[in-house]
């Protein structure tokens, strides 16, 4: 088993602080991307909404989450001892699983994969944000 990512919050307060901290970064990222796209000031004002910046913040937050990557057997062993309700995305007939189970929550998310680890990690992080963190932030 391996851990990928660095943020594994233990409290709701940690989640909210981290999410809040990504606000200015999201604004800078969106502004720089808009510049790279050649948007002038008028286009920027029309197209870059609060929702656009919030989406960037959500993505930055989700991509920082620590996830566990292991075999289906390792996941089954973890799950047998887990205190979380687990939502599993993907096929149960593959060799690998990535999962995220924050200590402050009663639920966890997992995504299965055969060979596309990077895609599974990205999918899982988006699932974790949508299913666990969006209600908290």
């Amino acid at each position: 088993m391996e851990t990928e990512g660095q943020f594994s919050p233990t409290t709701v307060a940690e989640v909210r602080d981290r999410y809040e901290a990504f606000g200015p970064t999201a604004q800078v990222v969106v502004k720089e991307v808009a510049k790279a796209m050649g948007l002038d000031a008028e286009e920027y004002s029309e197209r870059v909404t609060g929702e656009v910046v919030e989406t960037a913040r959500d993505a930055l937050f989700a991509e920082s989450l620590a996830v566990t990557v292991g075999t289906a057997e390792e996941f089954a062993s973890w799950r047998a001892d887990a205190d979380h309700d687990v939502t599993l995305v993907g096929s149960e007939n593959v060799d690998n699983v990535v999962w995220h189970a924050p200590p402050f929550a009663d639920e966890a998310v997992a995504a299965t994969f055969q060979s596309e680890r990077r895609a599974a990690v990205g999918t899982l992080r988006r699932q974790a944000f949508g299913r666990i963190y969006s209600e908290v932030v």
Side-chain angles (χ1 to χ4, degrees):
M1 279 190 308
E2 299 175 55
T3 299
E4 189 173 310
Q6 69 278 4
F7 184 54
S8 186
T10 57
T11 67
V12 169
E14 280 182 84
V15 170
R16 290 181 178 146
D17 289 346
R18 177 80 168 210
Y19 186 78
E20 200 61 36
F22 274 122
T25 303
Q27 289 175 328
V28 170
V29 168
V30 169
K31 185 175 183 178
E32 292 301 316
V33 168
K35 262 196 234 179
M37 292 173 60
L39 298 184
D40 61 28
E42 185 177 322
E43 273 184 305
Y44 183 89
S45 294
E46 287 176 15
R47 298 182 70 189
V48 177
T49 63
E51 186 176 309
V52 170
V53 174
E54 184 176 338
T55 299
R57 182 193 298 197
D58 296 350
L60 288 166
F61 179 91
E63 285 300 311
S64 74
L65 293 173
V67 299
T68 304
V69 182
T71 65
E73 293 80 22
E74 290 169 326
F75 173 69
S77 177
W78 169 84
R79 193 174 187 178
D81 296 330
D83 292 335
H84 293 78
D85 290 329
V86 180
T87 299
L88 183 65
V89 178
S91 172
E92 291 187 20
N93 299 319
V94 294
D95 295 333
N96 304 293
V97 183
V98 57
W99 66 94
H100 179 76
F104 71 87
D106 294 335
E107 62 183 309
V109 292
T112 62
F113 68 99
Q114 186 61 39
S115 59
E116 296 295 327
R117 174 181 172 144
R118 187 172 167 193
V121 167
T123 296
L124 176 76
R125 286 178 169 149
R126 287 188 300 278
Q127 289 288 323
F129 186 83
R131 293 179 186 270
I132 299 169
Y133 294 99
S134 63
E135 293 179 17
V136 174
V137 298

